């Protein structure tokens, strides 16, 4: 993984698997596309019996149950009742897990407030196809092809980081955090100009990137001129991602970037996981990892209740999950938020200090190993 | 010195030697990298510093040495300043067009015969008559040699070749006094250190001229230089038929007080003051 700062040409950090402390691993982290994850989850659900799943259904309301009719009958007044569009009678839950995203209806139902702020930034995502390095020379083809598309690249531009994460084959996943106006302009570009713009964002100076991102069209031509006019040392070609050849049709999308942390992760018969509990800036790619860690922790808490004959929905039994994850997630949210703010500054003394800091960290393999173990989950 | 350095340099591992030659950051005089453009002379930091100091001192003693002023301009433009100016050009649509087209101002590209036929108040005509009056030609400008980045070298070249247009635009004459005022304007506008260093030439002005510089021309230069957009981004080749007045309006530049007129007025004022003083002395004596 190669990370560098657009405002300071010398400032970079490299992470590679096998550095001190992580000798037995072959990769820092793996990228997977959402459809793969969804498929695996569905396959797992099918193997578990009996599980009811409701397809093509929408939750229409979540309420507490009606008050007890008369003494001696079942009292479900403190149980969440979920009404869906496909069933007539509500589902009564002993434990309702909200994994329903940043605007979580479950969280609203449980009256759990969230704190945080919106970054004035949007994340532009796309799947792109990479060209082979240095054209199709025979000597290049002899080089081990497997090694060619395994490095992740991230460059910190003043408006936000742009990252390219390797996917199988010649594909890569793009995440570009930028201002809402620029995100709108990027989405409006034609595919060739969009690809040129991404190439420019990794290779050209901040001034060029700013200028080109404001052009309504013609980025292809502009990039060709700037690449030839800019002094890019040839031997450093591996410091940049491969040239992006094309953008997968319909894959360009954007979403607003926010930071949120729910005051509580659990309530009476309610638990929140993933984005419903916390939302993070994507610059460190931690959103999914944090959600997965939530689930693992919640499963442990539930297992404990079950094996000890407890009620899995009682808040007291769920608190093990919250006490394990809340502070941990809060720390990660804080670190990523500060990184975003640190790299949002263009004032030269700050740029100098952060370059010094990054350069120092780059020299300590042990520290980098620890950081990788934190980031890789 | 070189005999002392030679053995040490030979002992460097090959990889290190190659890497130092590859970058333009550090090399010894024994391993000078090849030029990056036609007139380029790659310099070590020590050489660049020595040239800067030397050219600064001698050009202060001999202000007519344009070559030394050019050298001073190039050797003091890095780090930072020439890159800043290049980025200013890259931020403007016209500036980008100039960098892309790379127009050069020479007697071939600027046909003086044609410019002389333009309307009297046009930029082209004013430029031609200015060249005629000063008996200079666009070809008297040296090539940039000491700036390592090829594009930045062009930016310096462009600044140099457009300097005569700045005279046309501001109407400042080429006497040392006007030249210093124009350099102050350029400094406020381009931030190039040489233009700032040239202000030391103010010590060579007469007392009267110096006070005029401090009270009138320096304030004019600073306020106008800072207020107007980067004049490096003016595509002069496309403005030849524009009237000087209109261009000045567009750039938000006020015409400075006419230097000759000011000189006349000051002279009269001085005379009047002298008479008054003498009258006063006569009264006190009486």
């Amino acid at each position: 993984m190669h990370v560098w700062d657009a405002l300071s040409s010398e400032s970079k950090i490299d992470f590679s698997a096998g550095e001190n402390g992580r000798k037995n691993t072959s990769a820092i982290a793996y990228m997977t596309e959402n459809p793969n994850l969804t498929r695996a989850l569905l396959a797992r659900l099918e193997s578990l019996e009996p599980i009811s799943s409701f397809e093509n259904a929408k939750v229409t309301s979540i309420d507490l149950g009606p008050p007890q009719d008369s003494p001696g009958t079942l009292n479900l007044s403190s149980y969440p009742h979920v009404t869906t569009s496909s069933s007539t009678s509500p589902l009564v839950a002993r434990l309702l897990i909200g994994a329903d995203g940043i605007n979580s209806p479950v969280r609203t139902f449980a009256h759990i407030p969230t704190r945080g702020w919106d970054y004035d930034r949007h994340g532009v995502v796309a799947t792109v196809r990479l060209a082979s390095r240095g054209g199709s020379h025979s000597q290049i083809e002899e080089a081990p092809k497997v090694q060619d598309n395994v490095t992740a690249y991230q460059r910190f531009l003043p408006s936000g980081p742009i990252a390219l994460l390797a996917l199988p084959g010649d594909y890569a996943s793009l995440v570009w955090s930028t201002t809402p106006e620029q995100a709108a302009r990027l989405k409006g570009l034609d595919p060739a100009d969009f690809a040129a713009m991404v190439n420019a964002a990794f290779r050209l100076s901040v001034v060029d990137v700013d200028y080109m991102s404001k052009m309504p069209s013609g980025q292809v031509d502009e990039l060709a001129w700037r690449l030839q006019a800019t002094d890019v040392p040839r031997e450093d070609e591996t410091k940049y991602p491969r040239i992006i050849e094309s953008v997968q049709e319909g894959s360009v999308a954007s979403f607003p970037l926010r930071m949120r942390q729910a005051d509580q992760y659990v309530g009476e018969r309610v638990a929140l996981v993933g984005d419903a509990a916390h939302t993070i800036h994507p610059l460190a790619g931690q959103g999914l990892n944090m959600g997965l860690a939530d689930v693992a922790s919640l499963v442990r808490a539930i297992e404990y209740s079950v094996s000890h004959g407890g009620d899995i929905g009682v808040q007291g039994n769920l608190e093990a999950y919250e006490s394990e994850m809340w502070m941990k997630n809060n720390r990660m949210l804080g670190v990523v938020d500060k990184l975003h703010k640190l790299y949002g500054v263009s004032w030269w003394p700050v740029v100098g200090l952060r370059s010094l800091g990054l350069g120092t960290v780059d020299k300590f393999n042990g520290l980098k190993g620890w950081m990788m173990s934190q980031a890789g989950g | 010195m070189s005999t002392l350095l030679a053995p040490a340099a030979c002992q460097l591992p090959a990889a290190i030697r190659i890497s130092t030659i590859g970058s333009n950051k550090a090399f010894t005089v024994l391993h000078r990298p090849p030029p990056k453009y036609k007139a380029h002379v790659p310099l070590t930091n020590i050489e660049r510093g020595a040239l800067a100091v030397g050219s600064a001192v001698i050009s202060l003693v001999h202000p007519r040495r344009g070559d030394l002023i050019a050298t001073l301009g190039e050797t003091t433009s890095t780090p930072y300043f020439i890159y800043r100016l290049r980025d200013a050009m890259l931020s403007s649509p016209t500036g980008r067009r100039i960098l892309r087209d790379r127009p050069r101002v020479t007697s071939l590209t600027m046909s003086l015969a044609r410019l002389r036929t333009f309307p009297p108040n046009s930029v082209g005509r004013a430029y031609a008559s200015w060249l005629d009056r000063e008996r200079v030609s666009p070809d008297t400008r040296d090539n940039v040699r000491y700036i390592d980045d090829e594009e930045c070298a062009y930016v310096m070249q462009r600044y140099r070749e457009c300097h005569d247009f700045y005279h046309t635009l501001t109407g400042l004459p080429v006497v040392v006094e006007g030249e210093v005022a124009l350099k102050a304007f350029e400094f406020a506008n381009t931030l190039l250190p040489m233009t700032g260093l040239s202000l030391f030439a103010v010590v060579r002005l007469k007392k009267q001229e110096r006070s005029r510089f401090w009270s009138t021309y320096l304030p004019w230069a600073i306020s106008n230089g800072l207020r107007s957009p980067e004049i490096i981004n003016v595509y002069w080749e496309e403005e030849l038929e524009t009237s000087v007045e209109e261009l000045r309006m567009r750039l938000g530049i006020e015409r400075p007080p006419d230097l000759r007129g000011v000189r006349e007025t000051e002279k009269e004022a001085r005379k009047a003051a002298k008479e008054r003083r003498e009258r006063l002395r006569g009264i006190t004596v009486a």
Side-chain angles (χ1 to χ4, degrees), chain A residues 222-286:
Chain A
E222 199 76 2
L223 175 73
W225 165 53
R226 289 314 296 163
L227 280 182
Q228 121 348 81
T230 310
D231 206 6
V232 182
R234 286 284 148 256
E235 68 265 38
D236 283 358
E237 199 42 41
T238 55
K239 297 285 175 211
Y240 302 100
R242 283 152 61 183
I243 286 278
I244 287 146
E245 200 174 64
S246 61
V247 181
Q248 207 169 65
E249 213 177 314
S251 70
V252 184
S254 79
F255 54 92
L257 303 186
R258 300 177 167 130
M259 187 190 88
R260 290 283 189 283
Q261 167 85 314
D263 277 8
Q264 291 163 280
Y265 287 177
V266 299
E268 194 61 21
R269 308 212 169 276
V270 164
L272 303 173
V273 296
D275 272 11
H278 44 75
T279 309
I280 193 169
H281 191 292
L283 73 84
Q286 291 308 303

Side-chain angles (χ1 to χ4, degrees), chain B residues 212-263:
Chain B
R212 193 156 47 222
F213 174 74
W214 291 118
S215 64
T216 310
Y217 287 93
L218 185 65
W220 165 83
I222 290 175
S223 64
N224 283 276
L226 291 177
R227 191 178 51 210
S228 74
E230 311 270 355
I231 41 170
I232 190 89
N233 289 335
V234 177
Y235 210 137
W236 296 99
E237 287 81 350
E238 293 174 356
E239 305 288 356
L240 294 174
E241 291 182 64
T242 318
S243 89
V244 180
E245 199 53 48
E246 189 199 317
L247 184 62
R248 215 183 281 134
M249 285 270 277
R250 200 195 311 148
L251 296 174
I253 295 173
E254 301 165 305
R255 194 193 173 116
D258 178 40
L259 211 50
R260 281 193 186 84
V262 167
R263 281 183 164 188

Side-chain angles (χ1 to χ4, degrees), chain A residues 26-40:
Chain A
S26 58
I28 305 170
Y30 297 94
M31 278 296 294
T32 179
E33 291 155 288
N34 199 31
N36 298 333
L37 215 55
T38 319
R39 234 179 100 93

Side-chain angles (χ1 to χ4, degrees), chain A residues 207-208 211 221-222 226, chain B residues 36 90-91 93 96 100 151:
Chain A
V207 180
D208 278 326
Y211 185 91
D221 191 38
E222 199 76 2
R226 289 314 296 163
Chain B
K36 288 188 179 165
L90 284 175
S91 304
R96 280 183 98 85
R100 206 167 180 165
E151 189 168 53

Side-chain angles (χ1 to χ4, degrees), chain A residues 204-212, chain B residues 86-88 90-91 96:
Chain A
L204 298 184
S205 76
V206 171
V207 180
D208 278 326
V209 177
D210 274 355
Y211 185 91
M212 285 173 66
Chain B
R86 191 252 319 250
D87 287 350
L90 284 175
S91 304
R96 280 183 98 85

